[in-house]
Amino acid sequence: MKTSKSSNQSRDAAEAIAAQALGFIAGDPARLGRFLAESGLGPENIRKAAGDPAFLPAVLDFILANEEDLVTFANELGVNPHHVGAARRLLPGASFDAST
């Protein structure tokens, strides 16, 4: 049972990082434009999309796909960029091996 609680806390922390990443994306018009273009979302439906379980992982995928964004975001959070990747691996749909 302790492992499950720890796992839930880790996932909650990963979701919190993803939510912060969304704020980071939204805080820069050029970055937000790239995110909207890549995701196919429009500004009018981003709130609805945020309710989709696949949304937060996609936010982190977007950050992880661009080294400059990743480093800038990690610096703003005060964490090593590897922590952002670790957060992504805790969320559903990770397309890479969790041991890396």
Side-chain angles (χ1 to χ4, degrees), residues 2-96:
K2 187 175 184 180
T3 303
S4 177
K5 183 176 181 181
S6 176
S7 176
N8 287 341
Q9 288 173 339
S10 295
R11 184 174 169 144
D12 289 347
E15 289 175 350
I17 289 172
Q20 290 173 305
L22 180 58
F24 171 76
I25 292 167
D28 179 83
R31 191 176 293 120
L32 179 59
R34 278 191 299 115
F35 178 74
L36 294 176
E38 289 182 25
S39 68
L41 295 172
E44 70 283 353
N45 57 7
I46 202 163
R47 276 202 170 138
K48 181 180 178 189
D52 183 336
F55 184 72
L56 289 179
V59 168
L60 289 182
D61 287 342
F62 176 81
I63 293 292
L64 290 165
N66 182 293
E67 186 175 2
E68 183 179 339
D69 288 344
L70 172 60
V71 170
T72 302
F73 174 62
N75 285 339
E76 283 189 17
L77 278 184
V79 301
N80 184 303
H82 294 287
H83 285 89
V84 180
R88 175 59 187 98
R89 288 187 295 275
L90 290 170
L91 298 175
S95 61
F96 41 89

